[in-house]
Amino acid sequence: MIALVTGGAGVVGKALCRELLARDVCVRVLVLPGDTQAGFLPEGVEVFYGDVSDADSIRKAFVGVDLVYHLAAILLSTKPGAFERINTNGTRNVVAAAKEAGVKRLLYVSSISVTYPVLTEYGKSKLAGESCVKESGLQWTIVRPTLVIGEPVGYGGGIEFNMYANYVRRFPVYFLPGGGKCLKRPVKSVDLVKGIALAGLSENAVGKTYALAGEGVLSMAEMAKAVLKLAGKRHWMIPVPWWIAKKLAVLKSWIGGKPVTAEQALAGFLYDAAPDIENARADLGYNPGSPLEI
């Protein structure tokens, strides 16, 4: 079997390549031209260069492929239309290239943010990508990762959690919108990668959508305490009412910085992301650990 991983040079992409190789899958990756991270891919991975937003540049990578893991996406941007161009239209291009090449199976890595009651521009782009995959006519599976935590905690893995960890470590006093009561079910990057690999290889997963989360549910305030404990720091949290948080542009710069809109920076503090994972356990044998301890 030959599996193509789009966005294969990213942190999760490289780890997925290693996981698939360990399962005796032949791995091919699609990475952006000039991406220096391609040099750190595992030995034995076949590299193709192309941009999912440019349909002509990616076609060759799909020839002879049995299974596509579509990870390529952008998570943060303030550029108008960037999410739609890459996350939505890029997914359409991947689906079209897969069908043209006769690929049978496609796994799409979406986001738990598509379940928020009010979607950010990022969430809208990923949900539109899900619709494109479901209507593709291919054998599809969709996974929705929650907040990704790598090793060491707050330094490796998901960019969103890393930004949050940096924020609470940076200031002796830090502010949390809503008092940090929002609930999350973070996932260790190693568990996420195994879940993605299993979902793409399992026949039980065809036509299904899975949340890939960790074992424990924590509030944002509890996650902050865990990060500070690991860093050996004692900082003080000040709760900020929502109506104030939405007006304080400074929170956006503290939490996310220039690549993040205020809407996206605050959405994670407003909506719970603690999904049930029992269907992933039953179908995939997915048994994640808990990435943080209070």
Side-chain angles (χ1 to χ4, degrees):
M1 172 186 284
I2 299 177
L4 170 66
V5 180
T6 73
V11 173
V12 174
K14 290 198 290 286
L16 178 60
C17 289
R18 291 191 290 269
E19 181 70 22
L20 292 172
L21 288 170
R23 295 175 181 272
D24 296 321
V25 176
C26 296
V27 180
R28 181 183 295 180
V29 299
L30 177 67
V31 300
L32 286 168
D35 190 337
T36 57
Q37 290 301 309
F40 297 96
L41 285 162
E43 185 177 351
V45 170
E46 186 179 13
V47 180
F48 281 72
Y49 292 94
D51 184 337
V52 294
S53 67
D54 178 1
D56 290 337
S57 72
I58 67 173
R59 289 193 176 97
K60 289 183 180 179
F62 290 77
V63 176
V65 167
D66 302 292
L67 165 62
V68 173
Y69 287 91
H70 180 35
L71 279 66
I74 56 168
L75 178 63
L76 305 174
S77 180
T78 56
K79 295 181 180 178
F83 291 124
E84 182 179 9
R85 179 175 62 85
I86 298 171
N87 297 351
T88 304
N89 293 336
T91 299
R92 290 195 182 99
N93 290 337
V94 165
V95 166
K99 293 175 71 173
E100 181 181 314
V103 175
K104 295 180 179 179
R105 183 86 183 270
L106 172 67
L107 179 136
Y108 176 57
V109 178
S110 183
S111 166
I112 201 64
S113 66
V114 303
T115 65
Y116 290 171
V118 178
L119 297 182
T120 62
E121 290 304 308
Y122 169 74
K124 291 175 183 177
S125 72
K126 297 300 283 186
L127 188 60
E130 286 193 9
S131 296
C132 181
V133 169
K134 289 178 180 178
E135 297 166 3
S136 66
L138 298 170
Q139 295 180 17
W140 59 267
T141 302
I142 294 170
V143 295
R144 295 170 174 171
T146 56
L147 200 60
V148 183
I149 298 180
E151 293 290 343
V153 172
Y155 297 96
I159 187 171
E160 285 182 305
F161 181 80
N162 290 349
M163 288 193 306
Y164 180 62
N166 289 337
Y167 167 61
V168 299
R169 284 193 299 251
R170 188 183 311 149
F171 302 104
V173 175
Y174 60 98
F175 301 90
L176 287 188
K181 294 179 181 179
C182 184
L183 299 177
K184 303 294 181 182
R185 194 168 183 173
V187 59
K188 291 194 291 187
S189 57
V190 63
D191 289 332
L192 172 63
V193 167
K194 288 180 180 178
I196 293 172
L198 289 167
L201 296 171
S202 173
E203 293 299 322
N204 293 332
V206 174
K208 296 181 182 178
T209 299
Y210 299 95
L212 295 182
E215 182 60 33
V217 176
L218 298 170
S219 69
M220 296 293 285
E222 288 172 329
M223 285 196 293
K225 289 180 181 179
V227 167
L228 292 172
K229 181 179 179 181
L230 285 168
K233 296 183 177 181
R234 294 187 65 182
H235 293 174
W236 296 96
M237 185 270 283
I238 296 179
V240 180
W242 267 109
W243 69 271
I244 295 178
K246 291 179 179 178
K247 292 180 179 295
L248 287 179
V250 68
L251 281 178
K252 179 260 187 186
S253 62
W254 286 353
I255 296 167
K258 292 182 180 180
V260 190
T261 63
E263 172 197 41
Q264 193 169 2
L266 293 175
F269 291 94
L270 181 58
Y271 305 121
D272 291 344
D276 188 286
I277 60 172
E278 291 310 308
N279 64 340
R281 290 190 199 275
D283 291 354
L284 310 177
Y286 177 68
N287 290 297
S290 181
L292 286 174
E293 294 183 2
I294 303 299

